[in-house]
Amino acid sequence: MAALWLARASSQMARRAARRHPSLRRPSRHGGAPASPWLLGPAAQPPVLGSPPLPAAERAFRRGFCSVRSFAGESSAAAASDEEEPEKGFAGGDQQALDFPGGKVSLVAEMNFLPESHGERISCYRVLDDDGRTISGSRFQEVSKEVALKMYSEMVTLQIMDNIFYEAQRQGRISFYLTSNGEEAINIASAAALSADDIVLPQYREPGVLLWRGFTLQEFANQCFGNNMDYGKGRQMPIHYGSNRLNYFTVSSPIATQLPQAVGAAYSLKMDKKDACAITYFGDGGTSEGDFHAALNFAAVMEAPVIFFCRNNGWAISTPTTEQFRSDGVVVRGQAYGIRGIRVDGNDALAVYSAVHAAREMAITEGRPILVEALTYRVGHHSTSDDSTKYRPVDEIEHWRTARDPISRYRKWVQGNDWWSDSEESELRNRVRKELLQAIQVAERMPKPPVSELFTDVYDQIPSNLQEQEQLLRDTIMKHPADYPTDVPV
Amino acid sequence: MFEALREALIEEMKLDPTVCVMGEDVGHYGGSYKVTKGLAEMFGDLRVLDTPIAENSFTGMGIGAAMKGLRPVVEGMNMGFLLLAYNQISNNCGMLHYTSGGQFKIPIVIRGPGGVGRQLGAEHSQRLESYFQSIPGLQMVACSTPYNAKGLMKAAIRSENPVVLFEHVLLYNMKEKIPDEEYICCLEEAEMVRPGEHVTILTYSRMRYHVMQAAKTLVNKGYDPEVIDIRSLKPFDLHTIGNSIKKTHRVLIVEECMRTGGIGASLRSAIIDNFWDYLDAPIMCLSSQDVPTPYAATLEDATVVQPAQIVAAVEQICQ
């Protein structure tokens, strides 16, 4: 196929060169564009960004650059030339446009490098101002009082949960914890905009999504304490929650590995033609991983219904975003892959809600990935193994904890609607606190998973070599009981 | 053999709509070794997915799809390229069933050609079974004939565990008559190739053919080797292997992995643990040299085990 193209291309170029000579130019016989030997069908219109994908039958012809049709400029990747009128294409436009694999491009005689940035930063979508009032003229997805209040109370619950579990780690009751301080709006508002069928692939700072879906405080505590009621059967570190019932994939520590998996999950939904999408969360640091690049590229090529939600909170442990990338944040990268994106104020619950709501709709109805970059700030330390005051100023942290707190900002809006009062506030906080302390006490006292669960689920059926190892371990424990914890059932 | 693998894929894809294939050039191109030829036309672009070049990512994608309920068959164009997918295979594929407490399963099949070919250069001659064998949660099998290729592929697809199916570059054009009726090979079973009395020769994949060639010479010299194609690289079929050792009391392992840390090293260790009392001679293991595979044909031949070495080893063991 390639050889054929080359042969035709060279004769084509020779003919074009001849035509360019003024004395050889002849007026065209018909009014419009002369029929090019290239075009097998009607003249190509470069598709407008965001147009629906080509029907499958047509697309079948366009695979690979060897197909002559795709040389005629009809490629959904060719969206570049938006200034040039399509009709100009071949009619006397031999000097202005050329076919290359991927589509038609217009030519230019001046050498211009694309600048490394747009100049101005991409603007950020916001609905609520710092005092919790809707900005006049702002457009957002309306929420009912019920949903609005649920969002608020879950944000408060998440905040209390984070504080108490963090303290529990400090007291030595659990081994590890990481908070979502400052990112409560991202957690809850994005979850609220999704449906229960949407599949969530988290990084690790999104327990609020699970909370929204109905994971109880007791279930969170069980996982953190690794007791025998933990759905993970005590096999993972705290905060590595997972629930297949709630469509929340188990957290896996390595960064960004969930991104290509989200594309796979979305691909599965697409095959089943489900009215659902996949959503995957990651931080600013995660965008440096190779998996980020390939997942976005795949999702675009495969037209997978997945929302890529980046929590740009300014820090990847001690690495600030200035040392993470040199682009204008993450949203600008979407275009590089042919993916629609939006930058949103991550501390504005209504803006996050609206953006995810719209993203979900586009992802599902148009079968395309969407990139959402939520700007925010990681108020807490990276985790209980980190002391962020070592690498950032304390007053910066305090500023974001107080003046830019997403919860108080949203509360002002809810109270402004007369939907919430101070007494309800203290009642909520007391109740959640009490419930959580109770859950922790219960979780702490529950027995740990038995030794038999050490060897199950490695495979679907326990194989003989693992049975042997288990037997060996039991024998050893029987012989030396003093060397093993007494509270672990054998 | 490539046709046998393809038949297996077609049969399973017809039986179960959740089976899908993903990899580079598997769709309209039909796969670099023609294993997926014609599948895209039969099952459509979505079920036979052409992926961009990012092994870690399409393996990750396969894992995500599997966790959601599909049964993907991921093809590495060459097993060596799957080293890029090691993170996903080890940290996620092997682990997520366990760390999620059994909530999510990953019934994925990862397959591709590996082994030393004909002058493909070091990067295309990797033996990934050595690197993957430690990963908990994975099952590994190696096919060697069209018959077992089809049977193992079908079994791997039906398995609830992640299975890595090792094919060999040089065996794709192997021909054999296989049954028309449906059959499946057990993933955990070894294959008795030639029963015998004097020595147990354990091998797999392409080395099976070198062993059988050596066997002819050995038979002429009066030896009676028992040849077992172990097929299941993780876990080992210690039942079949054990029965053979109890009969012959002498073991020779012939593998294509490198000497250090290969399948032979693990197998030797497993035999010593379990069948020490039955051995009359130390276990011999013939492996490839611990060098990157050179391009020059003569050098390449010298890095893998040749039939003459196998004959000499048997003679030494049976002294």
Side-chain angles (χ1 to χ4, degrees):
Chain A
M1 238 359 214
L4 183 63
W5 172 71
L6 280 170
R8 292 169 84 167
S10 45
S11 61
Q12 173 82 343
M13 290 216 246
R15 270 181 275 140
R16 280 223 194 102
R19 278 207 294 272
R20 253 179 246 136
H21 199 278
S23 65
L24 295 174
R25 200 165 285 168
R26 279 175 227 144
S28 56
R29 263 163 285 158
H30 357 268
S36 158
W38 252 181
L39 289 172
L40 294 181
Q45 311 276 342
V48 170
L49 270 172
S51 58
L54 301 162
E58 264 201 313
R59 242 184 316 182
F61 283 116
R62 278 150 214 203
R63 298 194 72 82
F65 69 85
C66 284
S67 124
V68 178
R69 257 204 190 199
S70 76
F71 261 132
E74 298 180 14
S75 160
S76 44
S81 45
D82 41 24
E83 329 66 40
E84 194 190 36
E85 291 160 327
E87 295 74 34
K88 247 211 223 159
F90 276 89
D94 294 324
Q95 297 151 299
Q96 290 162 328
L98 202 59
D99 279 327
F100 275 107
K104 250 196 295 186
V105 286
S106 51
L107 307 178
V108 69
E110 257 179 60
M111 180 172 69
N112 278 319
F113 282 74
L114 287 177
E116 67 275 16
S117 76
H118 291 250
E120 262 188 45
R121 294 198 65 183
I122 302 286
S123 33
C124 183
Y125 170 58
R126 179 189 240 217
V127 170
L128 292 178
D129 65 19
D130 285 329
D131 296 314
R133 285 187 299 252
T134 49
I135 298 170
S136 76
S138 62
R139 286 164 54 200
F140 60 97
Q141 185 68 32
E142 302 282 342
V143 284
S144 65
K145 174 177 171 185
E146 195 189 327
V147 172
L149 286 181
K150 183 176 180 206
M151 275 170 60
Y152 181 69
S153 75
E154 299 290 29
M155 282 166 73
V156 169
T157 305
L158 176 57
Q159 187 181 56
I160 296 176
M161 186 173 100
D162 273 348
N163 291 342
I164 293 186
F165 275 129
Y166 189 89
E167 290 306 314
Q169 194 276 344
R170 283 293 182 248
Q171 294 165 9
R173 293 163 89 182
I174 54 177
S175 66
F176 175 85
Y177 193 73
L178 72 69
T179 66
S180 313
N181 292 151
E183 299 181 48
E184 294 86 353
I186 286 175
N187 266 253
I188 302 297
S190 66
L194 301 166
S195 84
D197 290 329
D198 296 325
I199 302 177
V200 178
L201 289 98
Q203 177 65 71
Y204 45 56
R205 220 179 282 281
E206 305 89 12
V209 179
L210 203 46
L211 183 64
W212 176 271
R213 288 186 168 191
F215 214 58
T216 64
L217 296 176
Q218 189 65 62
E219 288 170 316
F220 279 112
N222 289 340
Q223 198 283 329
C224 287
F225 281 88
N227 60 33
N228 67 358
M229 292 294 285
D230 167 26
Y231 298 131
K233 299 183 188 166
R235 292 164 181 160
Q236 259 291 15
M237 290 170 73
I239 69 97
H240 287 60
Y241 313 111
S243 166
N244 56 348
R245 184 176 56 92
L246 299 176
N247 281 329
Y248 188 95
F249 277 28
T250 304
V251 174
S252 164
S253 315
I255 301 290
T257 53
Q258 70 279 10
L259 265 64
Q261 291 171 5
V263 180
Y267 161 74
S268 166
L269 288 171
K270 190 168 163 169
M271 264 180 63
D272 291 340
K273 299 196 180 52
K274 278 247 176 83
D275 175 25
C277 68
I279 181 169
T280 181
Y281 297 83
F282 48 97
D284 38 285
T287 66
S288 295
E289 282 281 355
D291 276 346
F292 168 82
H293 153 78
L296 262 68
N297 192 39
F298 269 61
V301 170
M302 264 142 228
E303 293 162 8
V306 52
I307 302 174
F308 290 106
F309 196 108
C310 177
R311 297 176 291 95
N312 183 346
N313 62 20
W315 295 93
I317 307 191
S318 67
T319 308
T321 49
T322 46
E323 282 168 40
Q324 193 69 251
F325 38 67
R326 285 296 154 85
S327 52
D328 168 23
V330 176
V331 67
V332 290
R333 302 196 207 170
Q335 204 167 48
Y337 298 105
I339 295 181
R340 227 172 258 176
I342 187 171
R343 167 171 282 162
V344 61
D345 178 352
N347 290 5
D348 177 344
L350 291 182
V352 172
Y353 180 86
S354 306
V356 174
H357 190 273
R360 179 181 183 274
E361 194 148 324
M362 278 189 277
I364 296 175
T365 56
E366 294 177 53
R368 59 167 67 243
I370 308 282
L371 174 64
V372 177
E373 178 187 19
L375 298 182
T376 181
Y377 188 84
R378 192 196 77 209
V379 170
H381 307 304
H382 165 71
S383 72
T384 49
S385 313
D386 174 49
D387 173 11
S388 61
T389 58
K390 285 208 182 94
Y391 49 78
R392 55 184 188 174
V394 176
D395 51 2
E396 178 186 297
I397 305 174
E398 278 313 298
H399 169 72
W400 283 91
R401 185 202 306 285
T402 51
R404 309 289 289 268
D405 173 34
I407 299 181
S408 21
R409 189 160 142 208
Y410 185 59
R411 180 186 333 128
K412 287 177 189 152
W413 181 72
V414 170
Q415 280 182 322
N417 288 345
D418 280 323
W419 288 347
W420 193 249
S421 66
D422 285 341
S423 62
E424 284 167 299
E425 174 82 16
S426 45
E427 191 268 316
L428 169 69
R429 286 188 181 263
N430 285 336
R431 182 172 48 80
V432 171
R433 200 183 152 77
K434 209 162 129 195
E435 204 182 307
L436 193 50
L437 289 172
Q438 170 83 336
I440 288 180
Q441 281 193 3
V442 170
E444 201 166 29
R445 279 191 241 118
M446 252 189 254
K448 301 290 184 229
V451 161
S452 57
E453 294 286 23
L454 187 57
F455 298 96
T456 50
D457 298 323
V458 181
Y459 296 97
D460 68 326
Q461 305 285 349
I462 182 167
S464 57
N465 63 322
L466 289 183
Q467 276 175 336
E468 264 174 49
Q469 290 178 15
E470 185 184 340
Q471 194 50 53
L472 198 59
L473 180 59
R474 282 180 197 284
D475 292 343
T476 311
I477 295 176
M478 295 297 191
K479 277 197 209 114
H480 309 274
D483 290 340
Y484 288 88
T486 46
D487 61 346
V488 178
V490 180
Chain B
M1 193 196 284
F2 71 89
E3 286 166 344
L5 291 163
R6 191 198 316 148
E7 252 182 48
L9 276 172
I10 292 177
E11 281 174 22
E12 291 303 302
M13 285 177 82
K14 282 195 178 139
L15 272 175
D16 184 351
T18 62
V19 180
C20 53
V21 176
M22 38 183 100
E24 293 155 22
D25 297 312
V26 296
H28 289 257
Y29 188 69
S32 302
Y33 293 93
K34 297 180 283 205
V35 173
T36 54
K37 194 158 190 280
L39 260 60
E41 285 79 25
M42 281 178 78
F43 299 103
D45 284 348
L46 210 47
R47 276 183 85 187
V48 184
L49 201 57
D50 271 329
T51 62
I53 308 177
E55 284 75 8
N56 204 28
S57 306
F58 62 71
T59 308
M61 195 174 142
I63 292 168
M67 285 169 83
K68 176 64 191 64
L70 291 185
R71 305 187 86 94
V73 177
V74 172
E75 169 173 312
M77 191 183 279
N78 183 287
M79 274 303 200
F81 305 157
L82 291 182
L83 286 171
L84 282 154
Y86 205 106
N87 184 24
Q88 288 284 355
I89 293 175
S90 167
N91 276 326
N92 292 310
C93 184
M95 280 190 197
L96 275 163
H97 187 241
Y98 185 77
T99 58
S100 71
Q103 292 185 86
F104 295 98
K105 59 181 170 79
I106 308 182
I108 196 176
V109 176
I110 297 173
R111 52 159 291 267
V116 176
R118 293 244 184 281
Q119 299 193 267
L120 295 177
E123 298 93 343
H124 294 86
S125 311
Q126 296 269 36
R127 280 128 286 163
L128 250 54
E129 56 270 23
S130 339
Y131 307 146
F132 285 167
Q133 63 178 323
S134 284
I135 301 175
L138 275 193
Q139 233 179 312
M140 305 197 315
V141 286
C143 59
S144 51
T145 66
Y147 178 84
N148 63 34
K150 180 174 178 187
L152 290 173
M153 171 76 96
K154 286 170 75 87
I157 292 173
R158 293 185 190 191
S159 168
E160 297 297 304
N161 295 313
V163 179
V164 184
L165 171 59
F166 291 93
E167 300 153 16
H168 197 287
V169 268
L170 294 180
L171 298 183
Y172 280 124
N173 289 320
M174 213 95 249
K175 291 197 194 321
E176 186 186 20
K177 231 166 134 64
I178 59 177
D180 287 328
E181 316 82 54
E182 197 187 23
Y183 69 92
I184 292 193
C185 291
C186 177
L187 286 176
E188 294 89 9
E189 257 175 32
E191 189 181 314
M192 177 66 69
V193 184
R194 181 193 189 281
E197 296 290 323
H198 291 163
V199 59
T200 299
I201 307 184
L202 301 171
T203 184
Y204 68 93
S205 192
R206 181 187 166 219
M207 287 295 118
R208 168 190 175 135
Y209 295 93
H210 280 204
V211 168
M212 289 312 286
Q213 206 182 323
K216 280 195 215 131
T217 315
L218 286 168
V219 164
N220 286 341
K221 291 191 175 196
Y223 294 96
D224 187 21
E226 176 152 294
V227 180
I228 295 179
D229 181 339
I230 61 174
R231 267 179 13 192
S232 176
L233 305 180
K234 182 179 165 90
F236 294 129
D237 178 5
L238 290 176
H239 178 79
T240 309
I241 294 173
N243 284 345
S244 175
I245 296 176
K246 288 176 189 170
K247 184 171 51 161
T248 67
H249 311 295
R250 287 160 210 279
V251 182
L252 170 65
I253 301 171
V254 180
E255 59 161 353
E256 207 174 303
C257 282
M258 288 173 275
R259 186 139 207 84
T260 307
I263 295 290
S266 302
L267 186 52
R268 205 183 208 164
S269 162
I271 293 173
I272 291 175
D273 278 346
N274 291 286
F275 308 114
W276 173 256
D277 290 327
Y278 297 97
L279 293 170
D280 283 348
I283 304 171
M284 274 196 82
C285 182
L286 295 176
S287 332
S288 299
Q289 314 281 13
D290 277 327
V291 296
T293 311
Y295 167 79
T298 44
L299 294 180
E300 186 182 63
D301 280 342
T303 65
V304 298
V305 178
Q306 299 296 341
Q309 286 166 271
I310 303 173
V311 172
V314 169
E315 288 178 326
Q316 191 183 340
I317 283 187
C318 290
Q319 265 168 1

